[in-house]
């Protein structure tokens, strides 16, 4: 059943029960609690990308037989990205950069460099607006299309992979993706490089959790990310791991 119809009937049910309780003098607090908890439940399932509730995505390769992981960088390109590209070259690692359209407009030569050095670019919307969770499916599709157009102008490639800003996948995202046809790439290992400042804590956490087939989320708009990345790359190298791109790990097309 379509979410919109299901959602409509859930609200009709809640209102009907509330009216019944009101007319018959029954306690209204259980239905009030349900009316509050239901939106909380919807927000929870929309922001946990790995649960695949509204749209299926690629988040990690379970039981991957080789010591391979994916490094992914969100929110660039920025002036931090060249440092990351140099590090990846030094350790012979490949990665995916989920670029914001506005950032590619600012740094077209860096976007081009990402491709020339053997990495791939994915779509991370045009503006990465904080209102992303409230956009209509039409506006979301426009955001995704606009990012693709800029990437195509710069690189000549048509991006096929999409990472939702803030990891939000709600019914509107699903409907936008039905129109644009992008594949969702999530992650299963967050580094928290965008919110935590303790670099050794971040690196130790990744080292503890790391396993073959992981998709690691980093950000190339944070000054501390190159420092974290170098320690991570050293760890991967000394433990026999190889960093590959998500199109290689999941055997999907990065472009179409
Ligand atoms: Zn982002």
């Amino acid at each position: 059943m379509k979410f919109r119809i299901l959602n409509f009937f859930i609200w009709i049910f809640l209102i009907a029960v509330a009216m019944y309780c009101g007319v018959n003098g029954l306690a209204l607090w259980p239905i009030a609690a349900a009316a509050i908890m239901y939106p909380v439940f919807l927000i929870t399932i929309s922001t946990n990308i790995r649960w695949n509730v509204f749209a299926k995505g690629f988040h990690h390769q379970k039981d991957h037989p080789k010591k391979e992981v994916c490094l992914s960088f969100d929110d660039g390109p920025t002036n931090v990205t060249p440092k990351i590209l140099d590090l990846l070259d030094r350790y012979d690692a490949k990665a995916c950069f989920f670029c914001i359209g506005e950032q590619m407009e600012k740094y077209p030569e860096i976007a081009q460099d990402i491709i020339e050095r053997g990495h791939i670019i994915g779509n991370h919307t045009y503006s990465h607006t904080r209102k992303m969770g409230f956009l209509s499916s039409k506006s979301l599709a426009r955001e995704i299309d606009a990012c693709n157009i800029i990437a195509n102008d710069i690189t000549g490639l048509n991006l096929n992979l999409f990472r939702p800003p803030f990891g939000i996948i709600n019914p509107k995202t699903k409907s936008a993706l039905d129109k644009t046809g992008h594949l969702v790439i999530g992650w299963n290992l967050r580094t928290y490089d965008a919110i935590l400042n303790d670099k050794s804590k971040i690196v130790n956490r990744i080292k503890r959790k790391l396993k073959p087939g992981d998709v690691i989320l980093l950000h190339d708009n944070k000054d501390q990310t190159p420092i974290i990345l170098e320690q991570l790359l050293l760890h991967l190298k000394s433990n026999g791991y190889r960093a590959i791109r998500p199109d290689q790990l999941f055997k999907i097309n990065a472009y179409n």
Side-chain angles (χ1 to χ4, degrees), residues 74-75 100 124 128 164-166 219:
D74 286 12
D75 300 350
I100 298 171
H124 201 41
H128 202 284
F166 315 109
H219 293 83

Side-chain angles (χ1 to χ4, degrees), residues 23 61 177 213 225-226 244:
V23 168
Q61 190 67 281
L177 290 169
T225 301
I244 61 169

Side-chain angles (χ1 to χ4, degrees), residues 43 45-50 59 73-76 97-104 122-136 139-145 147-148 161-170 172-174 176-177 180 182-187 190 194 217-219 221:
I43 291 167
I45 58 175
S46 299
T47 50
N48 279 281
I49 190 169
R50 284 173 62 195
H59 312 301
F73 298 89
D74 286 12
D75 300 350
F97 291 78
F98 288 95
C99 295
I100 298 171
E102 279 180 348
Q103 291 301 116
M104 286 193 278
N123 188 313
H124 201 41
T125 72
Y126 175 73
S127 71
H128 202 284
T129 170
R130 292 198 171 275
K131 295 175 195 155
M132 199 58 71
F134 303 99
L135 294 186
S136 66
S139 302
L140 264 167
R142 262 202 302 268
E143 281 273 345
I144 297 169
D145 285 341
C147 182
N148 258 49
L161 308 183
F162 171 71
R163 173 166 286 163
F166 315 109
I168 297 172
I169 295 269
N170 59 28
K172 286 165 186 166
T173 324
K174 159 78 175 138
L177 290 169
T180 67
H182 288 74
L183 301 177
V184 174
I185 306 290
W187 63 83
R190 274 189 89 155
L217 168 64
L218 294 135
H219 293 83
N221 64 343

Side-chain angles (χ1 to χ4, degrees), residues 39-100:
V40 172
F41 167 72
L42 289 182
I43 291 167
T44 307
I45 58 175
S46 299
T47 50
N48 279 281
I49 190 169
R50 284 173 62 195
W51 293 356
N52 287 334
V53 177
F54 295 114
K56 278 203 170 71
F58 297 89
H59 312 301
H60 73 295
Q61 190 67 281
K62 206 172 171 243
D63 302 323
H64 190 55
K66 293 182 190 165
K67 276 189 150 184
E68 293 171 333
V69 291
C70 278
L71 300 175
S72 61
F73 298 89
D74 286 12
D75 300 350
T78 69
N79 53 10
V80 177
T81 313
K83 293 177 197 160
I84 287 171
L85 291 172
D86 288 347
L87 277 170
L88 293 173
D89 275 356
R90 201 177 307 154
Y91 288 86
D92 195 22
K94 295 290 176 251
C96 181
F97 291 78
F98 288 95
C99 295
I100 298 171

